[in-house]
Amino acid sequence: MSHPHTRFEHLRAAVTQGASPLELYGLSPAAAAWSLARLWFELRRPLVLVTPGAGPQTGFLRDLHFFLAGYQETFHPDDRPTDLYTFPAYENLSFVELTPDLQTASARLETAYALATRTGRPMIVTSGIALAQSLPPRDRLAAVTEYLVVGQELDREKFLGHLAAGGYTRRPLVEEKGDFSVRGGVIDFFPPLSDYPVRLEFWGDTIESIRQFNPASQRSAKHLEDVIVLPVSEVYLDRQTQKMASHRLRSVKSAKVLEYLQRREHFPGIERYLPYFHERTETLGDYLPDNCLVALWDPLNLKQELDAYLARADQERPEEEEAWVNCLEVMSRFQTLRCHAVPFTDQTSAGARVF
């Protein structure tokens, strides 16, 4: 058996030549994470790793953090460890009503924003189910993202309405992502893309300062010159989307959902109805740049998980099957690396390169 480094050099050469699909056999998760981290670092290309389920996704995220930290001292200034993103799924989204999972929504929107704005050179760890679930169109995400700078004049009432439409919830104190509060001339909120909540202080209608603050002590800390304000829900509930969804959701025959829409309020599980709020939706594949390398971990289990998910979804939402077919068509345009935990067998894709 060839030395692992020699095997990697052959793999890197094949990726560089554009061969696809590439079949890599006999890897442990740690070995796959090491190989992908090195490919991402050396080839300077965006990379997406698709896993079967949240468990492997979490494990790979941990391993990739570890291996990328080893490259810390040699990182190009444009390549930061923060270029590692997770894109989780809304678990059981189609089958039960859950309270809003703002941590999941924030992580998904952070990743989507980085891709839509071509920020950095991301490495993304996701699952097959997350890949199949819809996102708002890229132009819509751009339209509902606010950029605030010190010295800017801001209509505070309009901004508070923007936060509410984006899924933020008004609280006495801001402690978690998706919270916002108002005290006199101060607006606190906790947006995606930020590790700490943000405090806007005003002089009249002018933003006098932007600071991060400690959610435990509520004390102001680091001064910022600007801040990007993403929504915390993939459904931005303004008059336009309210009107469209109210009309299209009549077929759902849920009085509770229609009542929420009439009041223009977010409700548990609103993301499951995302297609009703837009003429079209997209998936993560639509957001990915053309030069992205897609790695599939354990393709057999990945297919089985997706088959089971779509079979359950088909009982309630048959349009998910169509959405997944469209997603497969989109993903087929990318160079693909299929990572198998099992040893090599003869059952490989026609024309595939095996390592």
Side-chain angles (χ1 to χ4, degrees):
M1 181 177 292
S2 60
H3 191 276
H5 287 278
T6 303
R7 189 181 182 191
F8 174 81
E9 293 301 327
H10 290 312
L11 173 63
R12 181 177 61 178
V15 173
T16 302
Q17 293 164 8
S20 184
L22 299 168
E23 305 277 357
L24 195 57
Y25 283 87
L27 289 178
S28 67
W34 176 85
S35 300
L36 294 174
R38 189 171 171 186
L39 276 176
W40 176 83
F41 179 76
E42 294 186 7
L43 299 183
R44 307 186 59 77
R45 289 174 56 181
L47 188 150
V48 173
L49 171 62
V50 186
T51 70
Q57 183 179 1
T58 301
F60 270 108
L61 196 67
R62 180 185 61 247
D63 289 345
L64 288 168
H65 269 297
F66 174 80
F67 289 118
L68 290 176
Y71 294 119
Q72 180 71 50
E73 295 182 0
T74 55
F75 265 94
H76 186 276
D78 292 335
D79 301 327
R80 312 176 312 282
T82 49
D83 281 336
L84 178 60
Y85 294 88
T86 181
F87 188 78
Y90 292 110
E91 294 295 340
N92 296 321
L93 181 63
S94 297
F95 318 117
V96 296
E97 277 199 0
L98 301 175
T99 56
D101 185 353
L102 295 182
Q103 296 302 318
T104 295
S106 292
R108 287 168 60 91
L109 286 164
E110 288 175 15
T111 303
Y113 178 80
L115 291 170
T117 58
R118 297 295 188 260
T119 302
R121 179 172 53 90
M123 174 185 282
I124 300 163
V125 186
T126 188
S127 67
I129 291 176
L131 196 65
Q133 291 175 349
S134 297
L135 280 168
R138 284 158 287 176
D139 55 355
R140 177 63 173 172
L141 180 60
V144 300
T145 299
E146 289 271 4
Y147 177 64
L148 305 180
V149 297
V150 174
Q152 171 186 343
E153 287 195 1
L154 183 68
D155 184 325
R156 280 180 284 182
E157 290 304 314
K158 186 176 180 180
F159 179 67
L160 293 175
H162 170 75
L163 292 178
Y168 290 78
T169 302
R170 189 163 182 167
R171 309 282 191 193
L173 292 176
V174 170
E175 297 176 312
E176 299 180 347
K177 287 191 177 182
D179 292 348
F180 80 95
S181 70
V182 185
R183 300 186 315 281
V186 176
I187 298 176
D188 292 344
F189 62 99
F190 201 154
L193 302 180
S194 179
D195 293 328
Y196 294 93
V198 173
R199 176 164 293 156
L200 303 180
E201 295 178 311
F202 289 83
W203 179 262
D205 291 330
T206 302
I207 300 176
E208 186 177 37
S209 71
I210 303 175
R211 307 185 200 184
Q212 292 180 336
F213 66 91
N214 186 318
S217 66
Q218 297 291 304
R219 296 174 65 94
S220 297
K222 182 179 178 181
H223 285 263
L224 305 174
E225 290 299 318
D226 54 20
V227 62
I228 297 168
V229 187
L230 283 172
V232 290
S233 171
E234 290 168 30
V235 176
Y236 186 85
L237 194 50
D238 58 9
R239 292 188 183 278
Q240 175 186 346
T241 52
Q242 176 197 32
K243 182 178 179 180
M244 177 178 292
S246 296
H247 174 72
R248 299 172 71 182
L249 277 170
R250 289 175 185 170
S251 60
V252 175
K253 298 179 180 178
S254 171
K256 186 182 296 184
V257 167
L258 295 176
E259 286 174 11
Y260 276 114
L261 287 175
Q262 188 174 12
R263 298 194 301 267
R264 208 190 308 164
E265 292 180 10
H266 284 74
F267 54 88
I270 192 172
E271 287 81 8
R272 67 182 289 194
Y273 298 106
L274 182 67
Y276 293 91
F277 290 86
H278 300 282
E279 292 291 347
R280 63 179 178 86
T281 56
E282 297 182 338
T283 61
L284 183 66
D286 295 292
Y287 278 70
L288 297 176
D290 291 337
N291 68 332
C292 188
L293 176 64
V294 175
L296 306 179
W297 171 252
D298 198 359
L300 179 59
N301 281 332
L302 182 60
K303 182 180 184 303
Q304 291 175 344
E305 180 204 39
L306 279 166
D307 286 346
Y309 172 80
L310 293 170
R312 294 194 305 270
D314 186 58
Q315 299 174 13
E316 185 175 337
R317 296 188 60 204
E319 68 269 19
E320 290 223 354
E321 182 72 36
E322 180 181 355
W324 176 237
V325 171
N326 293 337
C327 180
L328 287 176
E329 292 178 358
V330 170
M331 297 300 294
S332 66
R333 79 177 196 264
F334 300 110
Q335 188 178 19
T336 303
L337 173 61
R338 295 163 55 88
C339 303
H340 304 266
V342 298
F344 171 73
T345 68
D346 292 333
Q347 297 179 354
T348 61
S349 305
R353 294 279 296 275
V354 178
F355 295 88

